[in-house]
Amino acid sequence: MAGAGPVSPTRVFVLLKARLVVNGVRRMTRSTWARVGFVFSLLFALVAAGVGVGIALGLRVYWDADAQHRNLVLLSAGIVFGWWFAPVLGGGVDETIDPARLSLLPLTRSQLRRGQIAAGFVGIAPVVMICWVIGLVVGSARTWASVPFVVVCGAVLLLAALVGSRALSTSLARLSRTRRGGDLAAVVAVLGGSAIFAGSQLLRFLTDEQLDAAARVLRWSPPGMAGEAFELAGRGSFVAAGWRIAVLAAVVVLAGWWWSRQLDRLLVEPAQTGRSALRNDGEALAIFGGWRRRLPRTAAGAAAARELVYLTRSPGRRSALLGGTLLGLVYVVIPVAWVGSPRTWLVLVAPVAMLLALQFASNQLGVDPAVFWIEVAAGPEPAARWVGRQLLGCIAVLFPVLLAATLLAVWTGGWIEFGVVVITMVPATLAMVGVGSLLSPMLVTPVPDSGNPFGGRQAMSGTGCSAVIVGLLYFVLVGVLIAPAEIALRWAWRSSSPLVAIAIGAGASAVNVGVWWWSTAAAVRQLPDRELEVLSLLDARLNT
Amino acid sequence: MVVRGLTKSFGDKVAVAGISLDVPRGSFYGLVGPNGAGKSTTIKMCTALLRPDAGDVWIDGQNVWADTHEAKRRLGVLPDDLPLFERLTGDEFLTFLGMFRGLDPDVVASRTAELLDVLDLTEAARVLVADYSTGMRKKISLAAAVLHGPRVLFLDEPFESVDPVSARTIQDLLRTFCSGGGTVVLSSHVMDTVERLCDHVAIVSAGRVVVHGSVDDVRGGRRLEDVFIDAVGGVHLGAGSIGWLAQDR
């Protein structure tokens, strides 16, 4: 660059994004967990890229003409919708798209747009997506005449994915500047992301007829039309392919216009004004106000009240719980789809729904890291510090499980199994959060509480991946403890041995309550010795 | 810089209620006021970061809100809450900002090295901004604000969290900037700093300019802090108020 004169803003954006990615990867060396997480993320990306290219290139080899057509539609729609929703669900990954960081620069609207689009193609996830689209292009081009059409279609598909993603992220960031808007943004992100996640997880359980039905719907969406355009161009129907590509291009233009409009407003509108957005009903705003007034006026009561206030007031907390619940339900649907018919015992798989909510139990100190500093400074009685966290863990774990159990019981009529789930899960949840309190200081991973789609700071650090690995290990441990109790209790109940059932239920409950009591006591004793270690692990700057 | 009738409300709250200012070229202008007086909001509206409900701002005869792109070329801003690129090192951060502003890479490199040296950040040049202390973040933001040689420099609490040695360096840097015809507008709570550095001052309270003029005229032979407290009204603790704090321990 030296001596070459000013560099074009688009090139600077690309260089900036590349530098941010490289520096993000270099930081992996700071934490073992982040390193492990990064290696897993990279392996996942490599496998995803390979699978995508393999599927796309093998379109003609492995599937007949109808299946090729269907798969092209599904793949195209999956790429676009995945690119739109995955970043906002993941908490934002790209500092180059955060308008606040660029607001002081004298960049024109078109410079900003071109630069951000170009930067969007730099990074591990974009490279994976580009591999998929290249596979689609190569797999669809059957004649030399079709090559220009499929290449243009691939390019427009990538643009639709990226520009749509930018438009959505910017709109959500703008929405997040008000309290109600923040809630709406969180719901949109979680619902969109959950739908994509559910689709990817359930794909292998769907029959050809179900996949055909999905493709018949999606082919009328612009991304689905791109899939059809690939197929039609490959067959030589260039006019039919052309108008479909034109529709997708129109969507790109429309999304670009909307994105520009939102970006302009975002750059000159006030930042979040949460304080003024709160209703001024003093009683409800007081920490012991409203329905929290029955809590004891003690340090433990205050800790519990604080968590309950956050549960209703923090968009980040609410979206995390909503996301954990919806994504957890996806894991319940997998065995249900595998079995295919309403069997009463399926209600017993409801505890699987807690899988993604388990971070609230296994990583109690990582949720809302800032509060730990306040606790260390204020020094409340040691037991009180776990009350709020355990309460949050119980709510986060029990809610998706009971919701899943209710839905499954309604579907299968397995109300006895519903009772089994309730009787085993309530004390088991206590044991879970107790053991979680004991493990948290050793496995703490800071989880940022941000409603801003650009505000996530876990991206590229691998910490999100490491938190999931810990959560999975914890889930296996918990599953080993819960499943035998469930099976034994159901057997006793179904075998008309109520006394045996009561004995099993009481025994399991006693063991779980005992585990909770012992582990919480141990957690209370050990925390003071680990405070400084936890503080350094929670330091956001060290974990960025 | 000329400001006329600048107004901004957030819901029911009027943050800035028709502020007008005349800032002479080459002056060191202090904007002082209590918390929530509207200083930061005024600076954001003057620098095209927040659209005013009413009013106009001209810099060098150019209406800021008529052409924000051109205005941003002439401005340097150190806001109090600007997010930085956390995953860039200090020198990378300045280099990218210089390139975004269209400077020649050679010019960016030499200015970056010089600014890092002057602001005592050379040793931290290869450290990620995420690992900077609050004072270091302030200094790197100041370097970013002056890198392109702006005509007007807006600084929101520039000395907050900065150590005394660095504060002195920054003051020298700003004086050098003014001696070359540059204009500085700074907001601060520290009256001593404003009294020592600024030649003009405006006291802002409840979104309005209460007093303004040259520092000597505004002071009228008194300490600026006394004039400030008289202008905005101080809060005095009544007898027995928070008496528990005075109890023997």
Side-chain angles (χ1 to χ4, degrees), chain B residues 192-209:
Chain B
D192 286 344
T193 305
V194 174
E195 204 165 358
R196 200 170 57 251
L197 279 178
C198 298
D199 44 46
H200 289 73
V201 66
I203 298 176
V204 181
S205 180
R208 297 175 190 279
V209 174

Side-chain angles (χ1 to χ4, degrees), chain A residues 200-412:
Chain A
S200 65
Q201 295 295 314
L202 296 174
L203 203 57
R204 69 198 120 136
F205 297 103
L206 298 179
T207 61
D208 280 349
E209 289 73 26
Q210 288 167 324
L211 288 173
D212 286 339
R216 273 197 297 276
V217 174
L218 285 171
R219 75 178 41 147
W220 294 107
S221 69
M225 283 184 186
E228 291 227 297
F230 277 125
E231 168 69 14
L232 291 166
R235 275 200 255 138
S237 305
F238 298 129
V239 175
W243 76 255
R244 284 171 172 82
I245 295 171
V247 170
L248 189 61
V251 169
V252 173
V253 172
L254 197 66
W257 170 80
W258 178 255
W259 173 32
S260 277
R261 203 175 133 90
Q262 297 297 308
L263 202 56
D264 280 353
R265 293 186 177 182
L266 199 62
L267 288 171
V268 294
E269 279 182 350
Q272 190 157 354
T273 52
R275 187 179 51 177
S276 58
L278 284 174
R279 285 178 298 121
N280 190 24
D281 45 356
E283 171 65 9
L285 288 179
I287 192 160
F288 285 114
W291 53 278
R292 296 179 296 276
R293 64 180 173 276
R294 295 185 191 283
L295 289 168
R297 268 35 172 196
T298 60
R306 193 195 77 88
E307 289 301 332
L308 294 172
V309 166
Y310 264 49
L311 206 57
T312 55
R313 199 176 290 169
S314 159
R317 181 69 53 86
R318 280 199 302 267
S319 63
L321 285 172
L322 181 63
T325 300
L326 289 177
L327 297 179
L329 289 177
V330 173
Y331 285 108
V332 175
V333 176
I334 291 172
V336 170
W338 186 57
V339 174
S341 57
R343 309 284 179 81
T344 55
W345 62 265
L346 277 172
V347 182
L348 298 183
V349 305
V352 176
M354 70 184 165
L355 181 59
L356 292 175
L358 268 178
Q359 63 165 329
F360 290 98
S362 63
N363 182 30
Q364 293 171 26
L365 297 176
V367 178
D368 196 1
V371 80
F372 193 77
W373 287 89
I374 298 168
E375 288 180 351
V376 171
E381 55 184 277
R385 295 166 65 170
W386 290 110
V387 170
R389 293 182 169 93
Q390 291 199 351
L391 177 68
L392 178 66
C394 286
I395 293 170
V397 167
L398 274 179
F399 181 69
V401 173
L402 295 181
L403 181 62
T406 307
L407 294 173
L408 288 170
V410 168
W411 182 53
T412 64

Side-chain angles (χ1 to χ4, degrees), chain B residues 208-224:
Chain B
R208 297 175 190 279
V209 174
V210 185
V211 186
H212 68 101
S214 72
V215 171
D216 288 339
D217 288 347
V218 168
R219 279 193 327 182
R222 302 162 67 201
R223 288 171 61 220
L224 186 60

